[in-house]
Amino acid sequence: MHVAHLSLVDFRCYPTVELPLDPGVTALVGPNGQGKTNLVEAIGYVASLDSHRVAHDTPLVRLGAERAIVRTNVVRDARSTLVELEINPGKANRARVNRSAVPRPREVLGILRTVLFAPEDLALVKGDPSERRRFLDKLLVARAPRFAAVRSDYDRVLKQRNALLKSAGAAMRNRNGGADLRTLDVWDAHLAQHGAELLAGRLELVHYLQPLVDKAYDEVSRGAGPTAMEYVSSLGSEAPLVPDRELLAAALLAALSERRRDELDRGVSLVGPHRDDLLLKLGPLPAKGYASHGEAWSYALALRLASYDLLTADGGEPVLVLDDVFAELDVGRRERLAQRVADAEQVLVTAAVAGDVPEALSGARVDVMAAEVRRVR
């Protein structure tokens, strides 16, 4: 799989740009703030329908423009697919595949798969649980696009249930008569159903990812492991954390019943996949709080390389994007990472100066300056 062409209209700093791309390595080189990351961000948006840099679409549209257009020509097994996304902040986004409209933008998920490593990935190790949940869920969707609908359904139910908890809890505290909690029972059932599906997917993913992470960490850090990953559920340590949808749904319902009083008092849902975490361990200790800066970088790299290996094993090697990472790594990690990914189908590298790109990743070069691109080699 590779991206053969990227076309942008009013995306970020680009009024318009046309960028042909080849398989193999392409380095996007230019000073910071000139638009390199915007190019790989656009490619990642086609793959996942979100950005690794911002939570909402509004910053993706060039200042003064109403909408942005991202087009990619994706080649997989010698077959070309044109994907076009129209980003409309405050309105529904639109998508076309081979110039035909599709009912929902998420219909394009799975056409392009990418794995992106960026400086922000240090938060996977050192940051809040939300960073690790997002990592798992994005990888879930990349492997099986149907999980995009599962996540959407779960988020919708969670929002409705939180609103009901808040209003019912307020009614009980104000003694305006007993709140009717029968509706809450209905939303409990919905949360358990969709939550069990999402939780089962995450547990299966961690099972397959663990040995790949340990292997990748060993390669990047030269035997400084071992690593381990432990899924930490809001259901508690007694819950059956196995990817069985029925068992998980029953456990969620029981936990929701047990925590209902606390939830009504606080007005939020305290049980479910939205409260979970992925404990990353290095040796016997948690990586967060104990890993050195270099070890944390190695762990973040291992998570992304393992994601790449897992998606490749599923069929269809993803596009690998290394966004301004080599300047952050010491010489040893830089060279080991370069050797590890040099043979990938397509690697897109961004760097402030050409010297930051290791010799093992020599290939095509595109200079980026003031939202203009120029092919050098």
Side-chain angles (χ1 to χ4, degrees), residues 69-70 81 84 126 191 210 217 230-231 235 279 296 315 322 351:
I69 304 293
V70 180
T81 303
E84 179 179 310
K126 293 189 170 185
L191 190 78
Q210 166 62 68
Y217 187 88
E230 179 183 332
Y231 192 88
L235 294 176
L279 177 61
L322 305 174

Side-chain angles (χ1 to χ4, degrees), residues 180-227:
D180 187 353
L181 299 181
R182 288 175 296 179
T183 305
L184 189 55
D185 291 336
V186 175
W187 287 111
D188 283 1
H190 288 318
L191 190 78
Q193 175 193 348
H194 299 302
E197 186 69 25
L198 182 57
L199 181 51
R202 287 181 183 176
L203 292 171
E204 289 174 342
L205 181 61
V206 171
H207 171 75
Y208 289 116
L209 203 58
Q210 166 62 68
L212 298 176
V213 171
D214 194 50
K215 178 176 179 289
Y217 187 88
D218 183 69
E219 292 171 344
V220 171
S221 64
R222 287 191 170 175
T227 67

Side-chain angles (χ1 to χ4, degrees), residues 216-252:
Y217 187 88
D218 183 69
E219 292 171 344
V220 171
S221 64
R222 287 191 170 175
T227 67
M229 299 192 301
E230 179 183 332
Y231 192 88
V232 182
S233 171
S234 58
L235 294 176
S237 58
E238 302 298 321
L241 287 185
V242 293
D244 183 306
R245 274 72 174 168
E246 291 187 6
L247 284 177
L248 291 172
L252 279 165

Side-chain angles (χ1 to χ4, degrees), residues 121-141:
D121 282 344
L122 202 59
L124 292 176
V125 181
K126 293 189 170 185
D128 295 333
S130 60
E131 299 286 348
R132 291 176 286 278
R133 291 194 297 266
R134 187 168 183 257
F135 163 74
L136 290 176
D137 290 347
K138 288 190 71 171
L139 185 53
L140 263 182
V141 172

Side-chain angles (χ1 to χ4, degrees), residues 275-287:
R275 307 283 296 193
D276 296 351
D277 195 4
L278 180 65
L279 177 61
L280 304 176
K281 300 177 73 174
L282 189 55
L285 299 173

Side-chain angles (χ1 to χ4, degrees), residues 23 49 51 57 80 162 169 203 227 246 257 303 319 324 354 361 363 369:
L49 299 181
S51 163
D57 287 347
S80 179
N162 283 344
L203 292 171
T227 67
E246 291 187 6
S257 176
L303 289 168
V319 175
D324 199 25
L361 294 179
M369 181 69 69

Side-chain angles (χ1 to χ4, degrees), residues 117 122 125 213 216-218 220-222 224 227 282 292-305 329-330 333 336:
F117 183 68
L122 202 59
V125 181
V213 171
Y217 187 88
D218 183 69
V220 171
S221 64
R222 287 191 170 175
T227 67
L282 189 55
S292 69
H293 187 70
E295 289 170 336
W297 268 112
S298 292
Y299 217 131
L301 273 171
L303 289 168
R304 293 304 187 189
L305 290 172
L329 301 176
D330 59 46
R333 288 182 174 86
R336 289 191 290 274

